[in-house]
Amino acid sequence: MERIGFIGLGIMGKPMAKHLLKAGYPLLILSSSAGAAALKAEGAKSFENPKALAAESDVVITMLPDSPEVESIVFGDDGVLAGLKKGALFIDMSTIAPATSINLFSAFQQKGVAALDAPVSGGQGGAEGATLSIMVGGEEKAFEKALPIFEKMGKNIVHIGKPGAGQTTKACNQIVVGLTIQAVAEALTLAKKAGVDIAKVRAALLGGFAQSKILDLHGQRIIDRNFKPGFKVKLHRKDMNIALQTGKDLSVPLPASAIVASQMDAVLAKGDGDLDHSALALFLESISGL
Amino acid sequence: MERIGFIGLGIMGKPMAKHLLKAGYPLLILSSSAGAAALKAEGAKSFENPKALAAESDVVITMLPDSPEVESIVFGDDGVLAGLKKGALFIDMSTIAPATSINLFSAFQQKGVAALDAPVSGGQGGAEGATLSIMVGGEEKAFEKALPIFEKMGKNIVHIGKPGAGQTTKACNQIVVGLTIQAVAEALTLAKKAGVDIAKVRAALLGGFAQSKILDLHGQRIIDRNFKPGFKVKLHRKDMNIALQTGKDLSVPLPASAIVASQMDAVLAKGDGDLDHSALALFLESISGL
């Protein structure tokens, strides 16, 4: 089985890496990773830096917060790029800018290393339950090689297209989720101020064209005043930034996405960035005098 | 069985009235209605004006384009208000402003006539198949009296609350549907310009939190370039106006709804108002150089 180097053992990365270990893959980690000790106890081998880890890996997976962290781990001193051997595979499962993924692909290609962008959705629950949706960009051959590994971590695994296509799809996902929360928040705020029972509004709307997973789950959160994450506003704001920057790069105006991003800024300004993204409703309520 | 006067025999009203006739209700219509001849042939009785029709009706149902038409039929010379007897029931199934519904309720109440606002969703297909969703505002006793009648025309029938609550819920529905179409349109336009297969994006997003009936049905319309209505942009624009006016009346800012309404204006300006509301995607494509 391939030796898999896994960099980024946070809330998402740690359970993902554990699934690989449990499936029998030799797991290589950085000794500086937060969860290193626990995984070493379960059989993972630890390394001082990304280059050393990559030099002994057949596959390196990164699961990091944003583009700069991935670029630093790959291109930095003692980075992954310097360590990976020809014929190896690099898989970035972070949510980063599509343009960065395309740069990474080119850099690895020059070294004879295949690269995939494979961001996920499904959150901590999906990572722990190995039910993540995985949206993959890159070459077919690399995808086929990676598929058995993906199958240990996720369920709905789709090869979307060329390098960057996975990240573009993730950006689309975050646009749709953000705007649908905004839609539900505007509707329920209007109903609330009109003195109408928002639980009945949610139930009535679920029966027709307004139906969505967001209306179902986040609508219920708004009714229950349950803003414990879930997915934090500040992380969604980061993802909206990727979407808006991609729109700017490609000259695609995204007017409603821009509105939602600036409302998320208002939530952050209030110090509520650690709440669930359904807290967009709290902002609308506050500016409506509720 | 109650004698039902039905005013407004258009694309929606005609099949709804037919279901009542078929169920055995004596049907009273205006001789000036477009479909009057056909319904007379099936047993409906026709009258010269709303007052005369209302005077012989136990229940009057209106299914008209907008608030001014309903006000005119009710309050005008020889109107419904002048004709309906004490103890009768008035049901407006049009989509109009909640504030207007509340005015209608008060006016009828002074005459001892119960009134319900009962807008529908589900479109022409729902009207023909008697599967409309019906959102009802008004008093419980009136709702109970109307329920057997509603059940001849719809399936998902919810008594939301006080007078106007049905219309408020319909406004919420139109906000959520409009913004969700915008969400899908922004996402798929971004993907298209990035050169990513939008059919694969739709399929991947349907598996997660981005799932909605709109992504499913209108996403497929956008992929298929099928903008035949469905629900016309110009009608949805009218409904967004009701939502925005209600927001203004109640001091509830609706920033994304306002953006969507102004994009619908751009679709109308281009002469595309008779297309399906998924044509919001056409506008985004055109301003993105696609």
Side-chain angles (χ1 to χ4, degrees), chain A residues 156 160 162 172-173 179 183 186-187 193-194 196 200 204 207-214 217 250 252-257 263 288, chain B residues 156 160 162 172-173 179 183 186-187 193-194 196 200 204-205 207-214 217 250 252-257 263 288:
Chain A
N156 182 25
I160 307 283
K162 63 185 181 177
C172 290
N173 188 75
L179 269 63
E186 289 196 10
K193 190 133 190 215
V196 174
K200 289 192 176 164
F209 278 128
Q211 179 281 334
S212 67
K213 197 162 248 179
I214 294 292
L217 303 178
L250 299 173
V252 176
L254 300 168
S257 297
Q263 302 213 153
S288 301
Chain B
N156 182 25
I160 307 282
K162 63 186 181 176
C172 291
N173 188 76
L179 269 62
E186 289 196 10
K193 191 134 190 214
V196 175
K200 289 193 176 164
L205 267 54
F209 278 128
Q211 179 280 333
S212 67
K213 197 161 250 180
I214 294 291
L217 302 179
L250 298 173
V252 177
L254 301 168
S257 297
Q263 302 212 153
S288 301

Tab-separated table of all heavy atoms in Angstrom, chain A residues 156 160 162 172-173 179 183 186-187 193-194 196 200 204 207-214 217 250 252-257 263 288, chain B residues 156 160 162 172-173 179 183 186-187 193-194 196 200 204-205 207-214 217 250 252-257 263 288:
chain	number	residue	atom	x	y	z
A	156	ASN	N	-19.348	10.792	-1.626
A	156	ASN	CA	-19.772	11.387	-2.898
A	156	ASN	C	-18.535	11.984	-3.568
A	156	ASN	O	-18.227	13.152	-3.391
A	156	ASN	CB	-20.847	12.448	-2.598
A	156	ASN	CG	-21.409	13.094	-3.845
A	156	ASN	OD1	-21.386	12.514	-4.933
A	156	ASN	ND2	-21.896	14.319	-3.706
A	160	ILE	N	-14.385	16.231	-11.348
A	160	ILE	CA	-15.071	17.305	-12.069
A	160	ILE	C	-14.383	17.611	-13.395
A	160	ILE	O	-15.042	17.798	-14.413
A	160	ILE	CB	-15.102	18.594	-11.220
A	160	ILE	CG1	-15.685	18.334	-9.833
A	160	ILE	CG2	-15.850	19.709	-11.953
A	160	ILE	CD1	-17.174	18.195	-9.762
A	162	LYS	N	-10.424	19.324	-15.170
A	162	LYS	CA	-8.999	19.698	-15.208
A	162	LYS	C	-8.508	20.292	-13.873
A	162	LYS	O	-9.320	20.571	-12.988
A	162	LYS	CB	-8.809	20.715	-16.336
A	162	LYS	CG	-9.603	21.986	-16.074
A	162	LYS	CD	-9.539	22.984	-17.228
A	162	LYS	CE	-10.355	24.217	-16.826
A	162	LYS	NZ	-10.318	25.288	-17.825
A	172	CYS	N	-18.179	27.338	-5.929
A	172	CYS	CA	-19.606	27.348	-6.309
A	172	CYS	C	-20.469	26.857	-5.157
A	172	CYS	O	-21.536	27.431	-4.866
A	172	CYS	CB	-19.836	26.462	-7.532
A	172	CYS	SG	-19.129	27.128	-9.040
A	173	ASN	N	-20.025	25.799	-4.501
A	173	ASN	CA	-20.766	25.255	-3.361
A	173	ASN	C	-20.925	26.312	-2.263
A	173	ASN	O	-22.021	26.511	-1.723
A	173	ASN	CB	-20.008	24.041	-2.802
A	173	ASN	CG	-20.796	23.296	-1.736
A	173	ASN	OD1	-21.734	22.571	-2.042
A	173	ASN	ND2	-20.432	23.492	-0.482
A	179	LEU	N	-25.609	32.063	-0.126
A	179	LEU	CA	-26.778	32.814	-0.613
A	179	LEU	C	-28.086	32.167	-0.178
A	179	LEU	O	-29.082	32.877	0.044
A	179	LEU	CB	-26.744	32.947	-2.146
A	179	LEU	CG	-26.035	34.197	-2.667
A	179	LEU	CD1	-24.568	34.208	-2.288
A	179	LEU	CD2	-26.175	34.298	-4.179
A	183	ALA	N	-31.041	33.869	1.833
A	183	ALA	CA	-32.435	33.789	1.387
A	183	ALA	C	-33.353	33.421	2.557
A	183	ALA	O	-34.376	34.074	2.802
A	183	ALA	CB	-32.565	32.752	0.269
A	186	GLU	N	-33.417	36.326	5.181
A	186	GLU	CA	-34.259	37.470	4.802
A	186	GLU	C	-35.740	37.116	4.957
A	186	GLU	O	-36.532	37.896	5.497
A	186	GLU	CB	-33.957	37.925	3.360
A	186	GLU	CG	-32.593	38.603	3.240
A	186	GLU	CD	-32.386	39.412	1.959
A	186	GLU	OE1	-33.361	39.632	1.192
A	186	GLU	OE2	-31.237	39.826	1.721
A	187	ALA	N	-36.103	35.929	4.502
A	187	ALA	CA	-37.510	35.515	4.562
A	187	ALA	C	-37.995	35.396	6.008
A	187	ALA	O	-39.051	35.933	6.377
A	187	ALA	CB	-37.700	34.194	3.816
A	193	LYS	N	-40.816	39.813	11.872
A	193	LYS	CA	-41.213	41.195	12.175
A	193	LYS	C	-42.693	41.427	11.852
A	193	LYS	O	-43.343	42.293	12.447
A	193	LYS	CB	-40.335	42.199	11.430
A	193	LYS	CG	-40.569	43.615	11.930
A	193	LYS	CD	-39.331	44.414	12.217
A	193	LYS	CE	-39.673	45.707	12.937
A	193	LYS	NZ	-38.800	46.812	12.558
A	194	ALA	N	-43.241	40.632	10.920
A	194	ALA	CA	-44.672	40.723	10.609
A	194	ALA	C	-45.523	40.009	11.661
A	194	ALA	O	-46.757	40.000	11.575
A	194	ALA	CB	-44.944	40.135	9.227
A	196	VAL	N	-45.490	36.734	12.263
A	196	VAL	CA	-45.938	35.431	11.755
A	196	VAL	C	-45.028	34.337	12.311
A	196	VAL	O	-43.813	34.529	12.440
A	196	VAL	CB	-45.910	35.431	10.209
A	196	VAL	CG1	-46.237	34.053	9.652
A	196	VAL	CG2	-46.882	36.478	9.670
A	200	LYS	N	-43.995	27.829	11.209
A	200	LYS	CA	-45.023	27.469	10.211
A	200	LYS	C	-44.612	27.900	8.811
A	200	LYS	O	-44.932	27.233	7.826
A	200	LYS	CB	-46.366	28.097	10.599
A	200	LYS	CG	-46.967	27.409	11.825
A	200	LYS	CD	-48.409	27.793	12.061
A	200	LYS	CE	-48.967	26.993	13.229
A	200	LYS	NZ	-50.210	27.571	13.738
A	204	ALA	N	-44.265	25.361	5.689
A	204	ALA	CA	-45.017	25.568	4.440
A	204	ALA	C	-44.071	25.636	3.253
A	204	ALA	O	-44.326	25.051	2.197
A	204	ALA	CB	-45.842	26.854	4.532
A	207	GLY	N	-42.495	22.502	1.486
A	207	GLY	CA	-43.332	21.687	0.611
A	207	GLY	C	-43.303	22.094	-0.853
A	207	GLY	O	-43.958	21.454	-1.675
A	208	GLY	N	-42.564	23.146	-1.202
A	208	GLY	CA	-42.605	23.626	-2.586
A	208	GLY	C	-41.241	23.934	-3.165
A	208	GLY	O	-40.227	23.351	-2.761
A	209	PHE	N	-41.209	24.848	-4.137
A	209	PHE	CA	-39.971	25.194	-4.839
A	209	PHE	C	-38.921	25.821	-3.921
A	209	PHE	O	-37.744	25.873	-4.280
A	209	PHE	CB	-40.264	26.173	-5.987
A	209	PHE	CG	-40.744	25.508	-7.229
A	209	PHE	CD1	-41.910	25.909	-7.862
A	209	PHE	CD2	-40.022	24.463	-7.799
A	209	PHE	CE1	-42.367	25.288	-9.008
A	209	PHE	CE2	-40.459	23.833	-8.948
A	209	PHE	CZ	-41.637	24.250	-9.561
A	210	ALA	N	-39.315	26.323	-2.761
A	210	ALA	CA	-38.365	26.954	-1.842
A	210	ALA	C	-37.576	25.923	-1.037
A	210	ALA	O	-36.682	26.283	-0.272
A	210	ALA	CB	-39.093	27.909	-0.903
A	211	GLN	N	-37.897	24.629	-1.228
A	211	GLN	CA	-37.232	23.574	-0.452
A	211	GLN	C	-35.713	23.595	-0.667
A	211	GLN	O	-35.232	23.732	-1.784
A	211	GLN	CB	-37.792	22.195	-0.855
A	211	GLN	CG	-37.149	21.002	-0.131
A	211	GLN	CD	-35.799	20.583	-0.697
A	211	GLN	OE1	-35.505	20.797	-1.863
A	211	GLN	NE2	-34.957	20.000	0.149
A	212	SER	N	-34.972	23.460	0.424
A	212	SER	CA	-33.518	23.265	0.355
A	212	SER	C	-33.060	22.619	1.647
A	212	SER	O	-33.764	22.655	2.659
A	212	SER	CB	-32.781	24.597	0.170
A	212	SER	OG	-32.923	25.412	1.319
A	213	LYS	N	-31.875	22.027	1.595
A	213	LYS	CA	-31.286	21.460	2.809
A	213	LYS	C	-31.043	22.585	3.822
A	213	LYS	O	-31.197	22.390	5.032
A	213	LYS	CB	-29.981	20.741	2.458
A	213	LYS	CG	-29.512	19.798	3.525
A	213	LYS	CD	-28.507	18.792	2.988
A	213	LYS	CE	-29.088	17.399	2.972
A	213	LYS	NZ	-28.194	16.384	2.438
A	214	ILE	N	-30.675	23.773	3.322
A	214	ILE	CA	-30.425	24.925	4.200
A	214	ILE	C	-31.721	25.362	4.897
A	214	ILE	O	-31.724	25.626	6.101
A	214	ILE	CB	-29.832	26.099	3.380
A	214	ILE	CG1	-28.437	25.735	2.843
A	214	ILE	CG2	-29.788	27.387	4.217
A	214	ILE	CD1	-27.352	25.594	3.859
A	217	LEU	N	-32.317	22.565	7.591
A	217	LEU	CA	-31.410	22.497	8.749
A	217	LEU	C	-31.128	23.862	9.368
A	217	LEU	O	-31.244	24.036	10.582
A	217	LEU	CB	-30.092	21.827	8.331
A	217	LEU	CG	-30.246	20.408	7.738
A	217	LEU	CD1	-28.896	19.855	7.319
A	217	LEU	CD2	-30.923	19.480	8.744
A	250	LEU	N	-11.761	36.293	-13.242
A	250	LEU	CA	-12.396	35.837	-14.487
A	250	LEU	C	-13.381	36.866	-15.054
A	250	LEU	O	-14.059	36.591	-16.036
A	250	LEU	CB	-13.151	34.519	-14.236
A	250	LEU	CG	-12.323	33.314	-13.774
A	250	LEU	CD1	-13.251	32.161	-13.403
A	250	LEU	CD2	-11.359	32.884	-14.881
A	252	VAL	N	-16.261	37.898	-13.680
A	252	VAL	CA	-17.639	37.429	-13.475
A	252	VAL	C	-18.223	38.183	-12.271
A	252	VAL	O	-17.853	37.902	-11.131
A	252	VAL	CB	-17.692	35.901	-13.207
A	252	VAL	CG1	-19.124	35.469	-12.910
A	252	VAL	CG2	-17.133	35.137	-14.391
A	253	PRO	N	-19.101	39.172	-12.515
A	253	PRO	CA	-19.714	39.873	-11.385
A	253	PRO	C	-20.577	38.916	-10.554
A	253	PRO	O	-21.313	38.111	-11.126
A	253	PRO	CB	-20.604	40.929	-12.056
A	253	PRO	CG	-20.143	41.005	-13.480
A	253	PRO	CD	-19.592	39.664	-13.812
A	254	LEU	N	-20.441	38.996	-9.232
A	254	LEU	CA	-21.211	38.120	-8.330
A	254	LEU	C	-21.918	39.002	-7.305
A	254	LEU	O	-21.543	39.052	-6.126
A	254	LEU	CB	-20.261	37.129	-7.636
A	254	LEU	CG	-19.466	36.200	-8.568
A	254	LEU	CD1	-18.362	35.484	-7.802
A	254	LEU	CD2	-20.393	35.188	-9.242
A	255	PRO	N	-22.954	39.734	-7.748
A	255	PRO	CA	-23.511	40.790	-6.901
A	255	PRO	C	-24.093	40.298	-5.573
A	255	PRO	O	-23.875	40.922	-4.533
A	255	PRO	CB	-24.592	41.440	-7.776
A	255	PRO	CG	-24.819	40.511	-8.912
A	255	PRO	CD	-23.579	39.697	-9.083
A	256	ALA	N	-24.826	39.196	-5.592
A	256	ALA	CA	-25.433	38.736	-4.332
A	256	ALA	C	-24.362	38.120	-3.424
A	256	ALA	O	-24.412	38.279	-2.193
A	256	ALA	CB	-26.563	37.747	-4.604
A	257	SER	N	-23.365	37.454	-4.007
A	257	SER	CA	-22.267	36.912	-3.186
A	257	SER	C	-21.533	38.036	-2.465
A	257	SER	O	-21.131	37.888	-1.296
A	257	SER	CB	-21.269	36.150	-4.068
A	257	SER	OG	-21.879	35.039	-4.676
A	263	GLN	N	-22.148	41.152	4.593
A	263	GLN	CA	-22.940	40.884	5.799
A	263	GLN	C	-22.166	39.989	6.770
A	263	GLN	O	-22.277	40.141	7.991
A	263	GLN	CB	-24.270	40.251	5.433
A	263	GLN	CG	-25.039	41.132	4.492
A	263	GLN	CD	-26.536	41.039	4.699
A	263	GLN	OE1	-27.259	41.965	4.417
A	263	GLN	NE2	-26.991	39.907	5.187
A	288	SER	N	-32.974	45.156	11.677
A	288	SER	CA	-34.423	45.320	11.505
A	288	SER	C	-35.092	45.717	12.814
A	288	SER	O	-36.323	45.755	12.900
A	288	SER	CB	-35.042	44.016	10.999
A	288	SER	OG	-34.473	43.637	9.768
B	156	ASN	N	-50.850	20.611	0.000
B	156	ASN	CA	-50.104	21.059	1.179
B	156	ASN	C	-50.765	22.339	1.691
B	156	ASN	O	-50.376	23.431	1.329
B	156	ASN	CB	-48.642	21.281	0.762
B	156	ASN	CG	-47.756	21.692	1.918
B	156	ASN	OD1	-48.038	21.399	3.080
B	156	ASN	ND2	-46.675	22.398	1.602
B	160	ILE	N	-51.439	29.346	8.497
B	160	ILE	CA	-50.235	29.953	9.067
B	160	ILE	C	-50.569	30.791	10.297
B	160	ILE	O	-49.872	30.733	11.305
B	160	ILE	CB	-49.527	30.851	8.026
B	160	ILE	CG1	-49.266	30.089	6.718
B	160	ILE	CG2	-48.267	31.452	8.616
B	160	ILE	CD1	-48.111	29.142	6.736
B	162	LYS	N	-52.818	34.669	11.584
B	162	LYS	CA	-53.787	35.777	11.501
B	162	LYS	C	-53.937	36.322	10.070
B	162	LYS	O	-53.151	35.966	9.185
B	162	LYS	CB	-53.320	36.890	12.440
B	162	LYS	CG	-51.974	37.447	12.015
B	162	LYS	CD	-51.399	38.467	13.006
B	162	LYS	CE	-50.063	38.960	12.445
B	162	LYS	NZ	-49.441	40.004	13.253
B	172	CYS	N	-42.389	35.426	1.574
B	172	CYS	CA	-41.185	34.697	2.011
B	172	CYS	C	-40.799	33.638	0.995
B	172	CYS	O	-39.615	33.462	0.667
B	172	CYS	CB	-41.422	34.036	3.371
B	172	CYS	SG	-41.566	35.211	4.722
B	173	ASN	N	-41.785	32.914	0.501
B	173	ASN	CA	-41.538	31.879	-0.507
B	173	ASN	C	-40.867	32.478	-1.742
B	173	ASN	O	-39.885	31.947	-2.259
B	173	ASN	CB	-42.867	31.225	-0.887
B	173	ASN	CG	-42.691	30.009	-1.790
B	173	ASN	OD1	-42.307	28.940	-1.346
B	173	ASN	ND2	-42.950	30.193	-3.091
B	179	LEU	N	-33.887	34.212	-4.543
B	179	LEU	CA	-32.485	34.254	-4.126
B	179	LEU	C	-31.776	32.930	-4.394
B	179	LEU	O	-30.573	32.915	-4.666
B	179	LEU	CB	-32.364	34.621	-2.637
B	179	LEU	CG	-32.240	36.118	-2.348
B	179	LEU	CD1	-33.464	36.879	-2.808
B	179	LEU	CD2	-31.987	36.366	-0.875
B	183	ALA	N	-28.473	32.357	-6.501
B	183	ALA	CA	-27.341	31.587	-5.979
B	183	ALA	C	-26.840	30.591	-7.028
B	183	ALA	O	-25.639	30.514	-7.313
B	183	ALA	CB	-27.760	30.843	-4.704
B	186	GLU	N	-25.298	32.508	-10.061
B	186	GLU	CA	-23.942	33.033	-9.833
B	186	GLU	C	-22.921	31.894	-9.859
B	186	GLU	O	-21.858	31.999	-10.482
B	186	GLU	CB	-23.867	33.803	-8.500
B	186	GLU	CG	-24.621	35.127	-8.550
B	186	GLU	CD	-24.274	36.112	-7.422
B	186	GLU	OE1	-23.317	35.887	-6.663
B	186	GLU	OE2	-24.991	37.139	-7.320
B	187	ALA	N	-23.254	30.794	-9.200
B	187	ALA	CA	-22.313	29.665	-9.128
B	187	ALA	C	-22.059	29.066	-10.508
B	187	ALA	O	-20.902	28.861	-10.903
B	187	ALA	CB	-22.851	28.597	-8.172
B	193	LYS	N	-17.527	30.165	-16.857
B	193	LYS	CA	-16.441	31.019	-17.351
B	193	LYS	C	-15.073	30.436	-16.997
B	193	LYS	O	-14.084	30.692	-17.681
B	193	LYS	CB	-16.586	32.446	-16.823
B	193	LYS	CG	-15.624	33.396	-17.539
B	193	LYS	CD	-16.225	34.690	-17.994
B	193	LYS	CE	-15.240	35.435	-18.900
B	193	LYS	NZ	-15.332	36.884	-18.753
B	194	ALA	N	-15.018	29.630	-15.919
B	194	ALA	CA	-13.764	28.956	-15.557
B	194	ALA	C	-13.513	27.734	-16.435
B	194	ALA	O	-12.489	27.066	-16.292
B	194	ALA	CB	-13.800	28.547	-14.084
B	196	VAL	N	-15.380	24.993	-16.512
B	196	VAL	CA	-15.712	23.764	-15.790
B	196	VAL	C	-17.104	23.291	-16.222
B	196	VAL	O	-18.007	24.105	-16.432
B	196	VAL	CB	-15.662	24.015	-14.265
B	196	VAL	CG1	-16.120	22.792	-13.495
B	196	VAL	CG2	-14.242	24.412	-13.847
B	200	LYS	N	-21.540	18.730	-14.146
B	200	LYS	CA	-20.839	18.026	-13.063
B	200	LYS	C	-20.880	18.826	-11.768
B	200	LYS	O	-20.948	18.263	-10.674
B	200	LYS	CB	-19.400	17.728	-13.479
B	200	LYS	CG	-19.338	16.644	-14.551
B	200	LYS	CD	-17.939	16.113	-14.753
B	200	LYS	CE	-17.967	14.978	-15.770
B	200	LYS	NZ	-16.636	14.662	-16.296
B	204	ALA	N	-22.433	17.449	-8.311
B	204	ALA	CA	-21.633	17.397	-7.075
B	204	ALA	C	-22.324	18.168	-5.958
B	204	ALA	O	-22.396	17.700	-4.818
B	204	ALA	CB	-20.239	17.966	-7.324
B	205	LEU	N	-22.873	19.341	-6.291
B	205	LEU	CA	-23.489	20.195	-5.264
B	205	LEU	C	-24.796	19.607	-4.725
B	205	LEU	O	-25.160	19.843	-3.566
B	205	LEU	CB	-23.736	21.611	-5.803
B	205	LEU	CG	-22.609	22.624	-5.529
B	205	LEU	CD1	-21.266	22.128	-6.031
B	205	LEU	CD2	-22.936	23.976	-6.131
B	207	GLY	N	-25.290	16.761	-3.808
B	207	GLY	CA	-24.996	15.770	-2.775
B	207	GLY	C	-24.735	16.349	-1.397
B	207	GLY	O	-24.519	15.594	-0.451
B	208	GLY	N	-24.741	17.678	-1.251
B	208	GLY	CA	-24.372	18.265	0.041
B	208	GLY	C	-25.313	19.362	0.507
B	208	GLY	O	-26.496	19.384	0.135
B	209	PHE	N	-24.786	20.286	1.303
B	209	PHE	CA	-25.581	21.369	1.885
B	209	PHE	C	-26.149	22.321	0.839
B	209	PHE	O	-27.077	23.076	1.127
B	209	PHE	CB	-24.738	22.181	2.876
B	209	PHE	CG	-24.648	21.565	4.229
B	209	PHE	CD1	-23.417	21.353	4.832
B	209	PHE	CD2	-25.793	21.196	4.918
B	209	PHE	CE1	-23.322	20.772	6.094
B	209	PHE	CE2	-25.717	20.624	6.181
B	209	PHE	CZ	-24.471	20.408	6.767
B	210	ALA	N	-25.589	22.321	-0.370
B	210	ALA	CA	-26.066	23.224	-1.418
B	210	ALA	C	-27.337	22.696	-2.087
B	210	ALA	O	-27.913	23.366	-2.945
B	210	ALA	CB	-24.972	23.446	-2.464
B	211	GLN	N	-27.790	21.492	-1.685
B	211	GLN	CA	-28.972	20.879	-2.315
B	211	GLN	C	-30.203	21.775	-2.180
B	211	GLN	O	-30.472	22.328	-1.124
B	211	GLN	CB	-29.247	19.506	-1.673
B	211	GLN	CG	-30.471	18.775	-2.244
B	211	GLN	CD	-31.808	19.266	-1.685
B	211	GLN	OE1	-31.894	19.765	-0.577
B	211	GLN	NE2	-32.852	19.145	-2.490
B	212	SER	N	-30.935	21.905	-3.276
B	212	SER	CA	-32.245	22.567	-3.242
B	212	SER	C	-33.048	22.087	-4.436
B	212	SER	O	-32.492	21.566	-5.411
B	212	SER	CB	-32.104	24.089	-3.304
B	212	SER	OG	-31.590	24.497	-4.558
B	213	LYS	N	-34.358	22.272	-4.342
B	213	LYS	CA	-35.219	21.944	-5.479
B	213	LYS	C	-34.847	22.834	-6.669
B	213	LYS	O	-34.893	22.399	-7.824
B	213	LYS	CB	-36.685	22.145	-5.079
B	213	LYS	CG	-37.647	21.463	-6.011
B	213	LYS	CD	-39.019	21.279	-5.370
B	213	LYS	CE	-39.280	19.826	-5.085
B	213	LYS	NZ	-40.567	19.541	-4.466
B	214	ILE	N	-34.465	24.090	-6.379
B	214	ILE	CA	-34.076	25.024	-7.433
B	214	ILE	C	-32.790	24.554	-8.131
B	214	ILE	O	-32.710	24.579	-9.363
B	214	ILE	CB	-33.875	26.443	-6.849
B	214	ILE	CG1	-35.200	27.011	-6.329
B	214	ILE	CG2	-33.235	27.380	-7.876
B	214	ILE	CD1	-36.234	27.344	-7.365
B	217	LEU	N	-33.980	21.522	-10.323
B	217	LEU	CA	-34.836	21.781	-11.490
B	217	LEU	C	-34.339	22.963	-12.327
B	217	LEU	O	-34.214	22.852	-13.547
B	217	LEU	CB	-36.273	22.030	-11.034
B	217	LEU	CG	-36.905	20.878	-10.226
B	217	LEU	CD1	-38.318	21.243	-9.813
B	217	LEU	CD2	-36.909	19.593	-11.043
B	250	LEU	N	-42.363	47.445	7.079
B	250	LEU	CA	-42.028	46.915	8.408
B	250	LEU	C	-40.616	47.290	8.846
B	250	LEU	O	-40.155	46.846	9.901
B	250	LEU	CB	-42.151	45.385	8.393
B	250	LEU	CG	-43.534	44.799	8.092
B	250	LEU	CD1	-43.434	43.278	7.942
B	250	LEU	CD2	-44.526	45.153	9.198
B	252	VAL	N	-37.709	46.321	7.469
B	252	VAL	CA	-36.844	45.136	7.399
B	252	VAL	C	-36.006	45.238	6.120
B	252	VAL	O	-36.532	45.042	5.022
B	252	VAL	CB	-37.663	43.818	7.376
B	252	VAL	CG1	-36.738	42.611	7.220
B	252	VAL	CG2	-38.498	43.686	8.638
B	253	PRO	N	-34.717	45.592	6.244
B	253	PRO	CA	-33.869	45.644	5.045
B	253	PRO	C	-33.731	44.250	4.427
B	253	PRO	O	-33.544	43.265	5.149
B	253	PRO	CB	-32.508	46.114	5.584
B	253	PRO	CG	-32.778	46.659	6.945
B	253	PRO	CD	-33.972	45.912	7.467
B	254	LEU	N	-33.863	44.180	3.096
B	254	LEU	CA	-33.755	42.900	2.381
B	254	LEU	C	-32.728	43.071	1.263
B	254	LEU	O	-33.074	43.124	0.079
B	254	LEU	CB	-35.123	42.514	1.817
B	254	LEU	CG	-36.252	42.345	2.832
B	254	LEU	CD1	-37.610	42.261	2.149
B	254	LEU	CD2	-36.025	41.108	3.700
B	255	PRO	N	-31.442	43.151	1.631
B	255	PRO	CA	-30.429	43.575	0.655
B	255	PRO	C	-30.284	42.639	-0.544
B	255	PRO	O	-30.170	43.110	-1.682
B	255	PRO	CB	-29.137	43.636	1.477
B	255	PRO	CG	-29.409	42.918	2.747
B	255	PRO	CD	-30.882	42.981	2.981
B	256	ALA	N	-30.291	41.328	-0.321
B	256	ALA	CA	-30.117	40.420	-1.461
B	256	ALA	C	-31.388	40.374	-2.310
B	256	ALA	O	-31.312	40.282	-3.544
B	256	ALA	CB	-29.724	39.023	-0.978
B	257	SER	N	-32.557	40.479	-1.677
B	257	SER	CA	-33.807	40.516	-2.451
B	257	SER	C	-33.822	41.729	-3.370
B	257	SER	O	-34.296	41.645	-4.520
B	257	SER	CB	-35.022	40.595	-1.515
B	257	SER	OG	-35.103	39.453	-0.711
B	263	GLN	N	-31.933	42.796	-10.792
B	263	GLN	CA	-31.483	41.953	-11.908
B	263	GLN	C	-32.663	41.508	-12.764
B	263	GLN	O	-32.547	41.373	-13.982
B	263	GLN	CB	-30.714	40.753	-11.382
B	263	GLN	CG	-29.523	41.203	-10.569
B	263	GLN	CD	-28.359	40.254	-10.666
B	263	GLN	OE1	-27.230	40.649	-10.519
B	263	GLN	NE2	-28.644	38.995	-10.912
B	288	SER	N	-21.063	38.923	-17.888
B	288	SER	CA	-19.761	38.281	-17.670
B	288	SER	C	-19.046	38.017	-18.986
B	288	SER	O	-18.001	37.347	-19.003
B	288	SER	CB	-19.951	36.946	-16.929
B	288	SER	OG	-20.574	37.153	-15.689
